[in-house]
Amino acid sequence: MTQSDLKTCGVVVPGENVAALMCQLTGTVCVEVDAAPQQDLNKVLEKIRCHYEAIIGKHREEHECWFKEKLCSLCKDVASNTECMETSRSKVADLRRTLQCLEIELQSQINKKSALECSLADTEARYSAMLAEFQKHINILETELCQVRNGIEQQGQAYAALLDIKSRLEKEIATYRCLLENQDIKRDMYFNLCVHNTCGYSIHM
């Protein structure tokens, strides 16, 4: 500490007192100066101590105010962060419950899908077998239908042949009938002629 520091503190110290004070404070420098009459060193030191205690107290108060402000702000931040954390935890819990519900629903849908796929496979196999059996019956019926159609065609041809034979027979019958009728007429004429001749002969007899 220099004499200018002491003046700054508002303390006037004689030169020899300053030298002695410097020696006591530093323990390294000892300078003797001719100055005014010696003052009470304890009073000087007391003034210096009071001055620095006032400065220290002022700084302490400033730091305490700063610390309190920071602590209050930190408490507010902690309370806000705690509230946000609780809200976030609540949201996370809700999301976890929703996720569990969705996972359960997904598993249920997967099981239902597997069951439907198995049922579909069974149904396809059953209906494939039924279709194969139906196709077999259809093939048999188509074969029978072809046979029936061929039989009908053959019967139609035979019927046409029979109609043709019938028509020819009817024509021949008509021809024979005409011939027979002509023969009957000739026979009647001959019979009548024979009867007439016989009657005439009898009359002449």
Side-chain angles (χ1 to χ4, degrees), residues 81-99:
N81 292 332
T82 301
E83 184 178 358
C84 292
M85 186 180 297
E86 292 297 328
T87 304
S88 299
R89 285 177 179 174
S90 177
K91 289 182 179 180
V92 168
D94 292 338
L95 290 174
R96 283 178 179 174
R97 285 192 294 270
T98 303
L99 178 61

Side-chain angles (χ1 to χ4, degrees), residues 16 35 46 66 72 79 81 114 121 145 150 188:
E16 66 276 8
E46 182 66 22
W66 177 84
C72 182
N81 292 332
S114 299
L145 180 61
N150 293 330
D188 291 339

Side-chain angles (χ1 to χ4, degrees), residues 179-196:
L179 293 175
L180 290 174
E181 288 178 354
N182 291 330
Q183 289 180 358
D184 289 338
I185 293 171
K186 289 180 179 180
R187 188 175 58 249
D188 291 339
M189 290 176 64
Y190 178 76
F191 179 74
N192 290 332
L193 180 62
C194 290
V195 170
H196 179 70

Side-chain angles (χ1 to χ4, degrees), residues 59-71:
H59 285 296
R60 182 184 295 112
E61 290 178 357
E62 291 177 353
H63 283 84
E64 285 179 353
C65 291
W66 177 84
F67 177 76
K68 289 179 180 179
E69 290 178 356
K70 291 294 183 181
L71 181 61

Side-chain angles (χ1 to χ4, degrees), residues 116-141:
L116 289 174
E117 287 177 348
C118 293
S119 177
L120 178 62
D122 293 339
T123 303
E124 287 179 349
R126 186 170 62 254
Y127 279 101
S128 295
M130 291 175 64
L131 287 174
E133 189 68 21
F134 287 153
Q135 188 62 44
K136 181 179 178 181
H137 287 297
I138 288 170
N139 293 333
I140 293 172
L141 292 174

Side-chain angles (χ1 to χ4, degrees), residues 159-202:
Y159 182 72
L162 290 173
L163 288 177
D164 183 59
I165 293 171
K166 177 185 176 184
S167 177
R168 287 185 293 171
L169 289 173
E170 288 177 349
K171 289 180 180 179
E172 291 180 359
I173 290 170
T175 302
Y176 289 138
R177 184 178 291 113
C178 290
L179 293 175
L180 290 174
E181 288 178 354
N182 291 330
Q183 289 180 358
D184 289 338
I185 293 171
K186 289 180 179 180
R187 188 175 58 249
D188 291 339
M189 290 176 64
Y190 178 76
F191 179 74
N192 290 332
L193 180 62
C194 290
V195 170
H196 179 70
N197 291 331
T198 303
C199 290
Y201 179 75
S202 296

